[in-house]
Amino acid sequence: MGDQQEQQYFLGTHDAELRRLGQQHGVWRDTMIAGWKRAGIGRGAKAIDVGAGPGYATRDLADVVGPDGRVLAAGGCYRQEHDAGIFRFNADGCPDTTWQASVDIGHGWPNVNAMLLQPDGQVLISGDFASVNGHPARALARL
């Protein structure tokens, strides 16, 4: 590597990057869906997609789990500002507009590293953030 400085990769949200990611998703989509089904993810399952990016795979997961299942996604999908979100998706692959959470760090890009769906339906998140839905929350929050 020598004098080359390592650069951190950030998922772009501009149109060209979203088109590229959509094309990339199209290449591996069928293989990924088959893998989920082999892993037992099917109708009625609950799935979590951490690092969802633009949400292409998340929408496919929503289709696989169907109307009796649930998909939660953490990432910058559907947003273009320095803000990450946690979204729930309906069976049709569209975000459930009655439920979402906004995660902010105050500077740079926030990060949700882990999510846990609790038996009572509440969601625990952890990562690099300073607030959730505008309320102070450092690194751990219950939604």
Side-chain angles (χ1 to χ4, degrees), residues 16-72:
E17 176 74 349
L18 293 176
R19 277 192 304 276
R20 183 191 70 77
L21 290 169
Q23 290 171 341
Q24 180 180 343
H25 173 76
V27 169
W28 59 262
R29 181 180 185 270
D30 292 341
T31 302
M32 199 72 231
I33 290 173
W36 292 332
K37 290 181 179 180
R38 279 193 311 274
I41 299 172
R43 295 284 180 215
K46 292 176 176 54
I48 294 176
D49 184 1
V50 177
Y56 297 118
T58 306
R59 286 184 221 121
D60 288 340
L61 267 172
D63 184 52
V64 168
V65 302
D68 296 327
R70 192 64 74 201
V71 176
L72 297 174

Short mmCIF file of all heavy atoms in Angstrom, two decimals, residues 16-72:
data_model
loop_
_atom_site.label_atom_id
_atom_site.label_comp_id
_atom_site.label_asym_id
_atom_site.label_seq_id
_atom_site.Cartn_x
_atom_site.Cartn_y
_atom_site.Cartn_z
N ALA A 16 -26.90 8.51 -9.43
CA ALA A 16 -26.04 7.53 -10.10
C ALA A 16 -25.70 6.37 -9.17
O ALA A 16 -25.68 5.20 -9.59
CB ALA A 16 -24.77 8.20 -10.62
N GLU A 17 -25.43 6.65 -7.91
CA GLU A 17 -25.10 5.59 -6.95
C GLU A 17 -26.31 4.71 -6.68
O GLU A 17 -26.20 3.49 -6.60
CB GLU A 17 -24.57 6.20 -5.65
CG GLU A 17 -24.28 5.20 -4.55
CD GLU A 17 -23.02 4.37 -4.77
OE1 GLU A 17 -22.45 4.39 -5.87
OE2 GLU A 17 -22.62 3.67 -3.83
N LEU A 18 -27.48 5.31 -6.57
CA LEU A 18 -28.69 4.51 -6.33
C LEU A 18 -28.99 3.62 -7.53
O LEU A 18 -29.40 2.47 -7.36
CB LEU A 18 -29.87 5.42 -6.00
CG LEU A 18 -29.76 6.17 -4.67
CD1 LEU A 18 -30.94 7.10 -4.48
CD2 LEU A 18 -29.64 5.21 -3.51
N ARG A 19 -28.77 4.12 -8.74
CA ARG A 19 -28.95 3.28 -9.94
C ARG A 19 -27.96 2.12 -9.93
O ARG A 19 -28.30 0.98 -10.23
CB ARG A 19 -28.78 4.11 -11.21
CG ARG A 19 -30.02 4.86 -11.62
CD ARG A 19 -29.89 5.42 -13.03
NE ARG A 19 -28.73 6.28 -13.23
CZ ARG A 19 -28.67 7.57 -12.92
NH1 ARG A 19 -29.74 8.18 -12.42
NH2 ARG A 19 -27.58 8.27 -13.15
N ARG A 20 -26.69 2.41 -9.58
CA ARG A 20 -25.68 1.36 -9.53
C ARG A 20 -26.05 0.30 -8.50
O ARG A 20 -25.98 -0.90 -8.77
CB ARG A 20 -24.31 1.96 -9.17
CG ARG A 20 -23.17 0.93 -9.19
CD ARG A 20 -21.89 1.48 -8.59
NE ARG A 20 -21.98 1.68 -7.16
CZ ARG A 20 -21.90 0.70 -6.25
NH1 ARG A 20 -21.75 -0.55 -6.62
NH2 ARG A 20 -21.97 0.96 -4.97
N LEU A 21 -26.48 0.73 -7.33
CA LEU A 21 -26.88 -0.22 -6.29
C LEU A 21 -28.10 -1.03 -6.72
O LEU A 21 -28.21 -2.22 -6.41
CB LEU A 21 -27.14 0.51 -4.98
CG LEU A 21 -25.90 1.08 -4.30
CD1 LEU A 21 -26.29 2.01 -3.16
CD2 LEU A 21 -24.97 -0.02 -3.83
N GLY A 22 -29.03 -0.40 -7.43
CA GLY A 22 -30.20 -1.12 -7.95
C GLY A 22 -29.81 -2.18 -8.96
O GLY A 22 -30.33 -3.30 -8.94
N GLN A 23 -28.86 -1.86 -9.83
CA GLN A 23 -28.38 -2.84 -10.81
C GLN A 23 -27.66 -3.99 -10.11
O GLN A 23 -27.84 -5.17 -10.45
CB GLN A 23 -27.46 -2.17 -11.82
CG GLN A 23 -28.20 -1.24 -12.75
CD GLN A 23 -27.25 -0.40 -13.61
OE1 GLN A 23 -26.07 -0.24 -13.28
NE2 GLN A 23 -27.77 0.14 -14.69
N GLN A 24 -26.84 -3.65 -9.12
CA GLN A 24 -26.11 -4.66 -8.36
C GLN A 24 -27.11 -5.58 -7.66
O GLN A 24 -26.96 -6.80 -7.66
CB GLN A 24 -25.20 -3.99 -7.35
CG GLN A 24 -24.40 -4.92 -6.50
CD GLN A 24 -23.53 -4.16 -5.51
OE1 GLN A 24 -23.28 -2.97 -5.66
NE2 GLN A 24 -23.07 -4.84 -4.50
N HIS A 25 -28.14 -5.00 -7.09
CA HIS A 25 -29.16 -5.79 -6.40
C HIS A 25 -29.84 -6.75 -7.38
O HIS A 25 -30.08 -7.91 -7.06
CB HIS A 25 -30.19 -4.87 -5.75
CG HIS A 25 -31.35 -5.61 -5.17
ND1 HIS A 25 -31.26 -6.29 -3.99
CD2 HIS A 25 -32.60 -5.79 -5.64
CE1 HIS A 25 -32.43 -6.87 -3.75
NE2 HIS A 25 -33.25 -6.58 -4.73
N GLY A 26 -30.13 -6.27 -8.58
CA GLY A 26 -30.76 -7.11 -9.59
C GLY A 26 -29.94 -8.34 -9.94
O GLY A 26 -30.49 -9.41 -10.24
N VAL A 27 -28.62 -8.22 -9.88
CA VAL A 27 -27.73 -9.34 -10.21
C VAL A 27 -27.85 -10.46 -9.17
O VAL A 27 -27.90 -11.64 -9.51
CB VAL A 27 -26.26 -8.86 -10.32
CG1 VAL A 27 -25.29 -10.02 -10.38
CG2 VAL A 27 -26.10 -7.94 -11.53
N TRP A 28 -27.89 -10.11 -7.89
CA TRP A 28 -27.88 -11.14 -6.85
C TRP A 28 -29.22 -11.40 -6.19
O TRP A 28 -29.35 -12.23 -5.31
CB TRP A 28 -26.82 -10.85 -5.79
CG TRP A 28 -26.95 -9.54 -5.08
CD1 TRP A 28 -26.28 -8.39 -5.37
CD2 TRP A 28 -27.80 -9.24 -3.98
NE1 TRP A 28 -26.65 -7.39 -4.50
CE2 TRP A 28 -27.60 -7.89 -3.64
CE3 TRP A 28 -28.73 -9.96 -3.24
CZ2 TRP A 28 -28.28 -7.25 -2.59
CZ3 TRP A 28 -29.41 -9.33 -2.19
CH2 TRP A 28 -29.18 -8.00 -1.89
N ARG A 29 -30.28 -10.71 -6.63
CA ARG A 29 -31.60 -10.80 -5.97
C ARG A 29 -32.12 -12.23 -5.84
O ARG A 29 -32.48 -12.67 -4.74
CB ARG A 29 -32.61 -9.94 -6.73
CG ARG A 29 -33.98 -9.94 -6.11
CD ARG A 29 -34.93 -9.06 -6.94
NE ARG A 29 -36.21 -8.96 -6.28
CZ ARG A 29 -37.21 -9.81 -6.51
NH1 ARG A 29 -37.06 -10.80 -7.38
NH2 ARG A 29 -38.34 -9.67 -5.86
N ASP A 30 -32.18 -12.99 -6.91
CA ASP A 30 -32.74 -14.34 -6.87
C ASP A 30 -31.93 -15.26 -5.96
O ASP A 30 -32.50 -16.06 -5.20
CB ASP A 30 -32.82 -14.94 -8.28
CG ASP A 30 -33.85 -14.23 -9.15
OD1 ASP A 30 -34.75 -13.54 -8.60
OD2 ASP A 30 -33.75 -14.35 -10.39
N THR A 31 -30.62 -15.13 -5.99
CA THR A 31 -29.76 -15.94 -5.14
C THR A 31 -29.98 -15.60 -3.67
O THR A 31 -30.04 -16.49 -2.81
CB THR A 31 -28.27 -15.72 -5.51
OG1 THR A 31 -28.11 -16.04 -6.89
CG2 THR A 31 -27.35 -16.55 -4.66
N MET A 32 -30.13 -14.30 -3.36
CA MET A 32 -30.35 -13.88 -1.98
C MET A 32 -31.70 -14.39 -1.45
O MET A 32 -31.78 -14.91 -0.34
CB MET A 32 -30.30 -12.35 -1.92
CG MET A 32 -30.07 -11.80 -0.56
SD MET A 32 -28.37 -12.10 -0.07
CE MET A 32 -28.64 -12.83 1.49
N ILE A 33 -32.74 -14.26 -2.26
CA ILE A 33 -34.06 -14.73 -1.83
C ILE A 33 -34.03 -16.24 -1.58
O ILE A 33 -34.57 -16.73 -0.59
CB ILE A 33 -35.14 -14.34 -2.85
CG1 ILE A 33 -35.36 -12.82 -2.81
CG2 ILE A 33 -36.45 -15.07 -2.58
CD1 ILE A 33 -36.27 -12.28 -3.90
N ALA A 34 -33.37 -16.98 -2.46
CA ALA A 34 -33.24 -18.43 -2.27
C ALA A 34 -32.49 -18.75 -0.97
O ALA A 34 -32.86 -19.66 -0.24
CB ALA A 34 -32.53 -19.07 -3.46
N GLY A 35 -31.45 -17.97 -0.67
CA GLY A 35 -30.70 -18.16 0.57
C GLY A 35 -31.54 -17.89 1.80
O GLY A 35 -31.47 -18.62 2.79
N TRP A 36 -32.34 -16.83 1.75
CA TRP A 36 -33.23 -16.54 2.89
C TRP A 36 -34.20 -17.70 3.11
O TRP A 36 -34.43 -18.10 4.24
CB TRP A 36 -34.01 -15.25 2.66
CG TRP A 36 -33.19 -14.01 2.65
CD1 TRP A 36 -32.01 -13.78 3.30
CD2 TRP A 36 -33.49 -12.82 1.94
NE1 TRP A 36 -31.57 -12.51 3.04
CE2 TRP A 36 -32.46 -11.90 2.22
CE3 TRP A 36 -34.52 -12.42 1.11
CZ2 TRP A 36 -32.44 -10.61 1.70
CZ3 TRP A 36 -34.50 -11.14 0.58
CH2 TRP A 36 -33.47 -10.25 0.88
N LYS A 37 -34.75 -18.22 2.04
CA LYS A 37 -35.72 -19.32 2.16
C LYS A 37 -35.03 -20.58 2.70
O LYS A 37 -35.61 -21.27 3.55
CB LYS A 37 -36.40 -19.57 0.83
CG LYS A 37 -37.35 -18.43 0.49
CD LYS A 37 -38.08 -18.64 -0.82
CE LYS A 37 -39.02 -17.46 -1.08
NZ LYS A 37 -39.75 -17.61 -2.33
N ARG A 38 -33.80 -20.86 2.25
CA ARG A 38 -33.05 -22.00 2.80
C ARG A 38 -32.77 -21.81 4.29
O ARG A 38 -32.68 -22.78 5.04
CB ARG A 38 -31.74 -22.20 2.04
CG ARG A 38 -31.90 -22.95 0.74
CD ARG A 38 -30.56 -23.42 0.17
NE ARG A 38 -29.54 -22.40 0.11
CZ ARG A 38 -29.36 -21.53 -0.89
NH1 ARG A 38 -30.17 -21.56 -1.93
NH2 ARG A 38 -28.40 -20.65 -0.86
N ALA A 39 -32.60 -20.56 4.71
CA ALA A 39 -32.33 -20.27 6.12
C ALA A 39 -33.61 -20.28 6.97
O ALA A 39 -33.55 -20.06 8.17
CB ALA A 39 -31.64 -18.91 6.24
N GLY A 40 -34.75 -20.53 6.34
CA GLY A 40 -36.00 -20.62 7.08
C GLY A 40 -36.76 -19.31 7.18
O GLY A 40 -37.74 -19.21 7.91
N ILE A 41 -36.32 -18.30 6.45
CA ILE A 41 -37.05 -17.03 6.45
C ILE A 41 -38.16 -17.14 5.41
O ILE A 41 -37.89 -17.28 4.22
CB ILE A 41 -36.12 -15.84 6.13
CG1 ILE A 41 -35.02 -15.75 7.18
CG2 ILE A 41 -36.92 -14.54 6.06
CD1 ILE A 41 -33.94 -14.75 6.87
N GLY A 42 -39.39 -17.12 5.87
CA GLY A 42 -40.53 -17.28 4.98
C GLY A 42 -41.75 -16.58 5.55
O GLY A 42 -41.64 -15.70 6.42
N ARG A 43 -42.91 -16.97 5.08
CA ARG A 43 -44.16 -16.35 5.51
C ARG A 43 -44.26 -16.32 7.03
O ARG A 43 -44.00 -17.31 7.70
CB ARG A 43 -45.36 -17.09 4.93
CG ARG A 43 -45.45 -17.01 3.43
CD ARG A 43 -45.94 -15.65 3.02
NE ARG A 43 -46.02 -15.57 1.57
CZ ARG A 43 -45.76 -14.47 0.89
NH1 ARG A 43 -45.39 -13.38 1.50
NH2 ARG A 43 -45.85 -14.44 -0.41
N GLY A 44 -44.60 -15.15 7.56
CA GLY A 44 -44.79 -14.98 8.99
C GLY A 44 -43.53 -14.72 9.79
O GLY A 44 -43.59 -14.47 10.99
N ALA A 45 -42.37 -14.75 9.15
CA ALA A 45 -41.11 -14.54 9.87
C ALA A 45 -40.93 -13.08 10.24
O ALA A 45 -41.54 -12.18 9.66
CB ALA A 45 -39.94 -15.00 9.00
N LYS A 46 -40.09 -12.87 11.23
CA LYS A 46 -39.68 -11.52 11.61
C LYS A 46 -38.20 -11.40 11.24
O LYS A 46 -37.41 -12.26 11.59
CB LYS A 46 -39.90 -11.28 13.09
CG LYS A 46 -41.37 -11.24 13.44
CD LYS A 46 -41.59 -11.10 14.92
CE LYS A 46 -43.04 -10.96 15.28
NZ LYS A 46 -43.92 -11.98 14.78
N ALA A 47 -37.86 -10.34 10.50
CA ALA A 47 -36.49 -10.18 10.02
C ALA A 47 -36.00 -8.77 10.30
O ALA A 47 -36.78 -7.82 10.32
CB ALA A 47 -36.43 -10.47 8.52
N ILE A 48 -34.70 -8.65 10.51
CA ILE A 48 -34.06 -7.36 10.75
C ILE A 48 -32.97 -7.18 9.71
O ILE A 48 -32.18 -8.07 9.47
CB ILE A 48 -33.47 -7.29 12.17
CG1 ILE A 48 -34.59 -7.32 13.20
CG2 ILE A 48 -32.61 -6.05 12.34
CD1 ILE A 48 -34.11 -7.35 14.64
N ASP A 49 -32.95 -6.00 9.08
CA ASP A 49 -31.93 -5.66 8.08
C ASP A 49 -31.14 -4.47 8.61
O ASP A 49 -31.58 -3.33 8.51
CB ASP A 49 -32.61 -5.33 6.75
CG ASP A 49 -31.62 -5.07 5.62
OD1 ASP A 49 -30.41 -5.17 5.86
OD2 ASP A 49 -32.08 -4.75 4.51
N VAL A 50 -29.98 -4.72 9.23
CA VAL A 50 -29.13 -3.65 9.75
C VAL A 50 -28.18 -3.25 8.63
O VAL A 50 -27.55 -4.08 8.01
CB VAL A 50 -28.34 -4.12 10.99
CG1 VAL A 50 -27.41 -3.04 11.49
CG2 VAL A 50 -29.30 -4.55 12.10
N GLY A 51 -28.09 -1.95 8.38
CA GLY A 51 -27.27 -1.47 7.28
C GLY A 51 -28.01 -1.59 5.97
O GLY A 51 -27.47 -2.02 4.96
N ALA A 52 -29.28 -1.22 5.96
CA ALA A 52 -30.18 -1.46 4.84
C ALA A 52 -29.86 -0.66 3.59
O ALA A 52 -30.36 -0.97 2.51
CB ALA A 52 -31.62 -1.18 5.26
N GLY A 53 -29.04 0.37 3.70
CA GLY A 53 -28.74 1.17 2.52
C GLY A 53 -30.00 1.71 1.88
O GLY A 53 -30.90 2.18 2.57
N PRO A 54 -30.12 1.64 0.56
CA PRO A 54 -31.30 2.19 -0.09
C PRO A 54 -32.55 1.33 0.06
O PRO A 54 -33.63 1.72 -0.36
CB PRO A 54 -30.88 2.31 -1.55
CG PRO A 54 -29.81 1.31 -1.72
CD PRO A 54 -29.11 1.21 -0.40
N GLY A 55 -32.45 0.15 0.64
CA GLY A 55 -33.63 -0.64 0.97
C GLY A 55 -34.08 -1.64 -0.07
O GLY A 55 -35.17 -2.20 0.06
N TYR A 56 -33.29 -1.93 -1.08
CA TYR A 56 -33.71 -2.90 -2.11
C TYR A 56 -33.95 -4.28 -1.50
O TYR A 56 -34.99 -4.90 -1.73
CB TYR A 56 -32.67 -3.00 -3.22
CG TYR A 56 -32.48 -1.73 -4.00
CD1 TYR A 56 -31.25 -1.08 -4.01
CD2 TYR A 56 -33.52 -1.16 -4.72
CE1 TYR A 56 -31.06 0.09 -4.72
CE2 TYR A 56 -33.34 0.01 -5.44
CZ TYR A 56 -32.12 0.63 -5.43
OH TYR A 56 -31.94 1.79 -6.13
N ALA A 57 -32.99 -4.78 -0.73
CA ALA A 57 -33.14 -6.10 -0.11
C ALA A 57 -34.24 -6.08 0.95
O ALA A 57 -34.95 -7.07 1.13
CB ALA A 57 -31.82 -6.56 0.50
N THR A 58 -34.41 -4.96 1.64
CA THR A 58 -35.44 -4.86 2.66
C THR A 58 -36.82 -5.06 2.05
O THR A 58 -37.67 -5.75 2.61
CB THR A 58 -35.37 -3.48 3.35
OG1 THR A 58 -34.05 -3.28 3.83
CG2 THR A 58 -36.33 -3.41 4.52
N ARG A 59 -37.05 -4.46 0.89
CA ARG A 59 -38.34 -4.63 0.22
C ARG A 59 -38.56 -6.08 -0.19
O ARG A 59 -39.66 -6.61 -0.08
CB ARG A 59 -38.42 -3.71 -0.99
CG ARG A 59 -38.62 -2.27 -0.57
CD ARG A 59 -38.81 -1.35 -1.77
NE ARG A 59 -38.05 -0.15 -1.49
CZ ARG A 59 -37.07 0.33 -2.23
NH1 ARG A 59 -36.75 -0.24 -3.36
NH2 ARG A 59 -36.43 1.41 -1.88
N ASP A 60 -37.50 -6.74 -0.64
CA ASP A 60 -37.62 -8.16 -0.98
C ASP A 60 -37.92 -9.00 0.26
O ASP A 60 -38.74 -9.92 0.22
CB ASP A 60 -36.34 -8.67 -1.63
CG ASP A 60 -36.15 -8.15 -3.04
OD1 ASP A 60 -37.15 -7.72 -3.66
OD2 ASP A 60 -35.00 -8.17 -3.53
N LEU A 61 -37.27 -8.68 1.38
CA LEU A 61 -37.56 -9.38 2.64
C LEU A 61 -39.04 -9.23 3.02
O LEU A 61 -39.68 -10.19 3.45
CB LEU A 61 -36.70 -8.83 3.78
CG LEU A 61 -35.39 -9.51 4.06
CD1 LEU A 61 -34.58 -8.71 5.07
CD2 LEU A 61 -35.58 -10.92 4.54
N ALA A 62 -39.58 -8.03 2.87
CA ALA A 62 -40.99 -7.79 3.19
C ALA A 62 -41.89 -8.68 2.34
O ALA A 62 -42.89 -9.22 2.83
CB ALA A 62 -41.34 -6.32 2.99
N ASP A 63 -41.54 -8.86 1.09
CA ASP A 63 -42.32 -9.73 0.21
C ASP A 63 -42.21 -11.19 0.66
O ASP A 63 -43.20 -11.91 0.68
CB ASP A 63 -41.83 -9.57 -1.23
CG ASP A 63 -42.66 -10.38 -2.20
OD1 ASP A 63 -43.90 -10.25 -2.17
OD2 ASP A 63 -42.07 -11.14 -2.98
N VAL A 64 -41.02 -11.63 1.06
CA VAL A 64 -40.79 -13.02 1.48
C VAL A 64 -41.56 -13.34 2.76
O VAL A 64 -42.16 -14.40 2.87
CB VAL A 64 -39.28 -13.30 1.66
CG1 VAL A 64 -39.03 -14.62 2.37
CG2 VAL A 64 -38.58 -13.28 0.31
N VAL A 65 -41.58 -12.42 3.74
CA VAL A 65 -42.25 -12.71 5.02
C VAL A 65 -43.76 -12.52 4.93
O VAL A 65 -44.50 -13.04 5.76
CB VAL A 65 -41.67 -11.90 6.20
CG1 VAL A 65 -40.19 -12.17 6.34
CG2 VAL A 65 -41.96 -10.42 6.08
N GLY A 66 -44.22 -11.78 3.93
CA GLY A 66 -45.65 -11.63 3.70
C GLY A 66 -46.36 -10.79 4.74
O GLY A 66 -45.75 -10.22 5.65
N PRO A 67 -47.69 -10.74 4.63
CA PRO A 67 -48.47 -9.86 5.50
C PRO A 67 -48.47 -10.25 6.97
O PRO A 67 -48.74 -9.42 7.83
CB PRO A 67 -49.89 -9.93 4.92
CG PRO A 67 -49.91 -11.17 4.10
CD PRO A 67 -48.51 -11.42 3.64
N ASP A 68 -48.15 -11.52 7.28
CA ASP A 68 -48.11 -11.94 8.68
C ASP A 68 -46.73 -11.78 9.30
O ASP A 68 -46.55 -12.01 10.48
CB ASP A 68 -48.56 -13.40 8.81
CG ASP A 68 -50.01 -13.58 8.40
OD1 ASP A 68 -50.80 -12.64 8.62
OD2 ASP A 68 -50.33 -14.64 7.84
N GLY A 69 -45.75 -11.39 8.49
CA GLY A 69 -44.39 -11.20 8.98
C GLY A 69 -44.11 -9.74 9.26
O GLY A 69 -44.99 -8.88 9.14
N ARG A 70 -42.86 -9.46 9.62
CA ARG A 70 -42.47 -8.09 9.91
C ARG A 70 -41.01 -7.91 9.57
O ARG A 70 -40.20 -8.79 9.83
CB ARG A 70 -42.69 -7.82 11.40
CG ARG A 70 -42.60 -6.41 11.84
CD ARG A 70 -43.64 -5.50 11.27
NE ARG A 70 -44.93 -5.68 11.86
CZ ARG A 70 -46.06 -5.31 11.30
NH1 ARG A 70 -46.05 -4.77 10.12
NH2 ARG A 70 -47.20 -5.48 11.88
N VAL A 71 -40.68 -6.79 8.96
CA VAL A 71 -39.29 -6.47 8.65
C VAL A 71 -38.96 -5.11 9.25
O VAL A 71 -39.69 -4.14 9.05
CB VAL A 71 -39.02 -6.42 7.12
CG1 VAL A 71 -37.60 -5.98 6.84
CG2 VAL A 71 -39.29 -7.78 6.49
N LEU A 72 -37.88 -5.07 10.01
CA LEU A 72 -37.35 -3.82 10.53
C LEU A 72 -36.03 -3.57 9.83
O LEU A 72 -35.25 -4.49 9.62
CB LEU A 72 -37.12 -3.91 12.04
CG LEU A 72 -38.35 -4.14 12.91
CD1 LEU A 72 -37.93 -4.36 14.36
CD2 LEU A 72 -39.29 -2.96 12.81
#
